Amino acid sequence: MTQHLDPRSPWVISTHDLGKRPGTMRQLTLALPAPADLGVDMIGVPKDAEVELDLRLEAVMEGVLVSGTAQAPLAGECARCLDPVSSEIRVDLQELFFYSDEDASEEDSLLDGELLDLEPTFRDAVVLALPLSPVCREDCAGLCAECGIKLAEAGEDHRHEKIDARWASLQGLFTDKDNDQEK
């Protein structure tokens, strides 16, 4: 049983006015709510954020070719210092939606009657374009591996005393009080 697309879904677009006449074309400019769970571990598009789409739908022999761009806000955290990061992403979209599964392979997109679902195409394009390790600034120094303080705030003289592991067990034998009595 095939699942039919819901024409009320914001990412489902009707191609009715194109007919099946190759060469007919339609320009669309849309603002749609971002789908949920669109991102990678450190950064993504917030759910329901406004996604701006500038699309061109063109009827071809095999189906409908959708091409254009999508722009969306990003929110996440810096991979080095864990500060919040926000920016925008712009991706190119291009997908051929076939009229019938006879012409298409398993991975190809199909029209459901006159409807096409643009969300999977958008999702794939965004996730592939996201940085795996977003940074707040290119020169972000990150966090100290010893104490966790932000290195940018700690200053250049931030250091930790390194104790040779061979002498570490002797560290607690002497206290400052003992040192004062020897004088």
Side-chain angles (χ1 to χ4, degrees):
M1 182 177 146
T2 59
Q3 183 177 354
H4 291 288
L5 297 177
D6 181 0
R8 296 169 302 201
S9 172
W11 288 88
V12 173
I13 297 171
S14 173
T15 63
H16 175 74
D17 54 341
L18 294 177
K20 288 189 177 182
R21 297 179 309 274
T24 54
M25 188 187 76
R26 181 172 99 194
Q27 296 281 128
L28 281 176
T29 301
L30 302 169
L32 301 178
D37 302 321
L38 180 56
V40 292
D41 290 339
M42 303 289 294
I43 196 162
V45 178
K47 182 182 184 311
D48 294 331
E50 186 174 283
V51 177
E52 296 174 17
L53 296 161
D54 189 14
L55 302 172
R56 177 176 144 169
L57 280 63
E58 185 176 0
V60 295
M61 293 297 286
E62 301 86 8
V64 175
L65 177 65
V66 177
S67 55
T69 60
Q71 189 167 324
L74 291 177
E77 57 188 19
C78 176
R80 296 180 190 161
C81 70
L82 304 180
D83 275 351
V85 172
S86 62
S87 64
E88 285 200 346
I89 190 167
R90 183 180 175 93
V91 293
D92 292 325
L93 304 174
Q94 185 162 352
E95 186 78 25
L96 176 59
F97 291 84
F98 287 87
Y99 290 127
S100 72
D101 54 4
E102 294 170 11
D103 299 327
S105 69
E106 280 186 30
E107 298 86 33
D108 290 332
S109 301
L110 289 173
L111 285 166
D112 180 7
E114 297 176 333
L115 301 176
L116 61 86
D117 187 2
L118 202 55
E119 183 183 330
T121 303
F122 170 70
R123 182 178 294 278
D124 290 348
V126 168
V127 170
L128 289 173
L130 288 174
L132 293 177
S133 298
V135 290
C136 57
R137 307 184 318 268
E138 286 301 317
D139 63 342
C140 177
L143 302 175
C144 174
E146 296 285 324
C147 65
I149 191 170
K150 289 184 186 170
L151 292 174
E153 296 171 2
E156 292 179 19
D157 57 341
H158 179 76
R159 299 201 189 341
H160 293 278
E161 186 177 325
K162 302 277 189 221
I163 299 175
D164 189 326
R166 297 171 291 182
W167 299 101
S169 60
L170 299 174
Q171 185 179 9
L173 292 178
F174 295 103
T175 62
D176 288 338
K177 197 176 205 181
D178 291 339
N179 290 339
D180 290 343
Q181 287 176 355
E182 290 177 2
K183 291 181 183 176

